[in-house]
Amino acid sequence: MLPFKLVYSDDYYLPIGAHVFPAEKYRMIRGRLMHEQIAEPSDFVTPSPAADEDILLVHTPEYVHKLKTGMLSGYEEMQLEVPFSPELVKAFWLSAGGSILASELALKDGVAINIGGGFHHAFPDHGEGFCMIHDVAVGIKRMHQEGKLRRAMTLDCDVHDGNGTAAIFPPKSHSAQPLPSAGGVTRGVRAQLRDSSSGDLEVFTISLHQANNYPAVKPPSSIDVNLPDGTEDEQYLGWLDQALSSALRQFEPELLCYIAGADPFEEDQLGGLALTIDGLKKRDELVLRVARSRNIPVMITYAGGYAHNVEDTVTIHCNTVVAAREVFST
Ligand SMILES: [Zn+2]
């Protein structure tokens, strides 16, 4: 049995037909975890869909109303880049429920993995890039509402910039923003070490992404690492270590939300970085070892993964579970 829970439902499947987003990956991950005896049935917990009130902690009433009544405009549906259906709305409400549950379990057990979620391109008032609802933000806001946390950190290692996350949780204060530069680390906040003067939610956002990729407009995160095309394992892990260390010198989170995208992989169809499967597992280990050594609870979501061979995407996501088992079993 794993020393943490895997949040999963067969209904995470996104009904989007033939699409570059491999909606079948969630079921395949569960199957592989079972087949390779990495997990057993009792390791899985089934989420409930988020309540509308939970979704409204992040998204505007107008947007939620449009989704629930199927009234997205043609332009809005185009921005979403997946075909709209009421079933798709249900799947996104469920993934948000999954991230609420994973946040809760992480705060209780030290770590929890949502075998889904990570829809980091969703904005309060619209969806983008296959992301309708920002499940991670919903999880954070719900935990804050319940008084379970005040300070959260997001660490986004999907190959694409976490534009929705940055829009929902803009950095507290900005220094002059230099233009994004390949390989550069941009710091957008002053130090935010522990300050218990108010109960307001504070969220520190980190995004490591390929500079030359979607989205065209990248709103500032607390720390942005704009990686050049073709970045390989060693360079990537160096930048990740530096960004995470810098963040933790500035901010002490009560929950780390790790968005473990599989698309920095060298054979990804929508990514231009060059990490290996082994390098991606080392990435997961690095994040989890740092979190564990500092006793920071971690909730993990999966985000993107578009390898030419979907089995590779499944391997990368399964390896995140293996890395967590290695780090949290010892
Ligand atoms: Zn991505």
Side-chain angles (χ1 to χ4, degrees), residues 6-8 12 95 98-99 102 112-117 135 299-302:
L6 305 172
V7 178
Y8 172 80
Y12 278 175
S95 81
S99 285
I113 302 179
N114 187 3
I115 306 289
D135 54 288
M299 72 81 91
I300 303 172
T301 53
Y302 274 165

Side-chain angles (χ1 to χ4, degrees), residues 120-121 158-161 261 263 268 270 303-306:
H120 59 157
H121 301 310
D158 190 276
V159 78
H160 304 103
D161 172 58
D263 49 13
D268 197 88
L270 301 185
Y306 316 93

Side-chain angles (χ1 to χ4, degrees), residues 227-274:
L227 296 164
D229 297 358
T231 298
E232 297 180 357
D233 292 347
E234 202 176 321
Q235 300 158 287
Y236 185 96
L237 294 171
W239 281 111
L240 172 60
D241 190 23
Q242 191 182 324
L244 190 52
S245 303
S246 171
L248 292 171
R249 278 194 295 272
Q250 299 176 58
F251 188 90
E252 292 176 22
E254 294 157 319
L255 178 68
L256 177 65
C257 299
Y258 174 38
I259 297 166
D263 49 13
F265 180 45
E266 57 190 343
E267 289 175 32
D268 197 88
Q269 300 173 80
L270 301 185
L273 301 186

Side-chain angles (χ1 to χ4, degrees), residues 31-220:
R32 180 89 69 83
L33 290 170
M34 296 288 290
H35 181 73
E36 296 193 353
Q37 300 185 333
I38 297 164
E40 54 189 66
S42 62
D43 293 319
F44 293 89
V45 289
T46 309
S48 306
D52 292 352
E53 297 75 53
D54 299 325
I55 302 294
L56 288 164
L57 294 171
V58 171
H59 295 281
T60 63
E62 294 75 18
Y63 179 49
V64 171
H65 181 72
K66 281 186 208 170
L67 293 174
K68 299 207 67 139
T69 53
M71 297 292 283
L72 288 185
S73 71
Y75 179 73
E76 287 168 326
E77 192 173 343
M78 188 198 74
Q79 266 189 315
L80 194 55
E81 295 189 78
V82 283
F84 179 88
S85 67
E87 292 72 31
L88 188 67
V89 173
K90 274 190 187 159
F92 275 102
W93 255 244
L94 185 60
S95 81
S99 285
I100 291 171
L101 181 55
S103 301
E104 229 164 49
L105 291 168
L107 291 171
K108 186 161 74 73
D109 300 337
V111 60
I113 302 179
N114 187 3
I115 306 289
F119 294 109
H120 59 157
H121 301 310
F123 285 68
D125 61 353
H126 70 277
E128 277 188 23
F130 321 150
C131 302
M132 181 184 282
I133 292 295
H134 201 307
D135 54 288
V136 176
V138 171
I140 290 171
K141 292 255 190 175
R142 171 70 187 268
M143 292 304 102
H144 177 248
Q145 189 192 43
E146 289 183 16
K148 291 182 176 168
L149 69 77
R150 203 174 70 73
R151 304 168 62 80
M153 181 178 280
T154 62
L155 171 58
D156 190 337
C157 288
D158 190 276
V159 78
H160 304 103
D161 172 58
N163 56 344
T165 319
I168 294 165
F169 302 119
K172 236 181 143 185
S173 59
H174 294 275
S175 49
Q177 285 292 321
L179 289 170
S181 58
V185 173
T186 308
R187 291 194 189 90
V189 290
R190 295 194 202 107
Q192 293 178 20
L193 284 170
R194 192 178 294 281
D195 165 18
S196 54
S197 58
S198 82
D200 292 347
L201 175 64
E202 292 179 43
V203 181
F204 191 105
T205 57
I206 309 167
S207 180
L208 268 83
H209 49 262
Q210 185 188 0
N212 180 29
N213 202 330
Y214 172 90
V217 177
K218 299 175 175 64

